[in-house]
Amino acid sequence: MSEDPTPRTAPASARKYVENKPPRGVYIRVFIYVVATHVLLAFMSIIFIIAKNR
C-alpha cells in the first residue's frame, strides 16, 4: 500500500462557496419585528396609563 504523500485538493478553477450576504428579506423581517414590538409596547403602555388614571 503506497500512499501518495501529496494531499488531494480541489483544482484551482473550483471556487469555494462563501456566504457573505444574509438571506433575501432578512432586513425587512427584522424591521417589521422591531416596529411590531414597539407598537405592542406602546399599546400596552397606553392601557396601563388609562388603567392607572381610572
Side-chain angles (χ1 to χ4, degrees):
M1 278 194 262
S2 67
E3 292 186 26
D4 190 8
T6 58
R8 296 195 178 258
T9 58
S13 62
R15 289 186 174 183
K16 185 177 179 184
Y17 177 74
V18 177
E19 186 173 343
N20 54 5
K21 291 197 314 190
R24 187 188 325 198
V26 72
Y27 293 120
I28 295 170
R29 272 182 269 147
V30 168
F31 178 75
I32 289 172
Y33 294 154
V34 169
V35 169
T37 54
H38 280 79
V39 169
L40 181 64
L41 180 63
F43 180 69
M44 291 172 63
S45 299
I46 290 172
I47 288 177
F48 273 95
I49 292 170
I50 290 172
K52 192 175 178 181
N53 288 335
R54 285 189 173 231

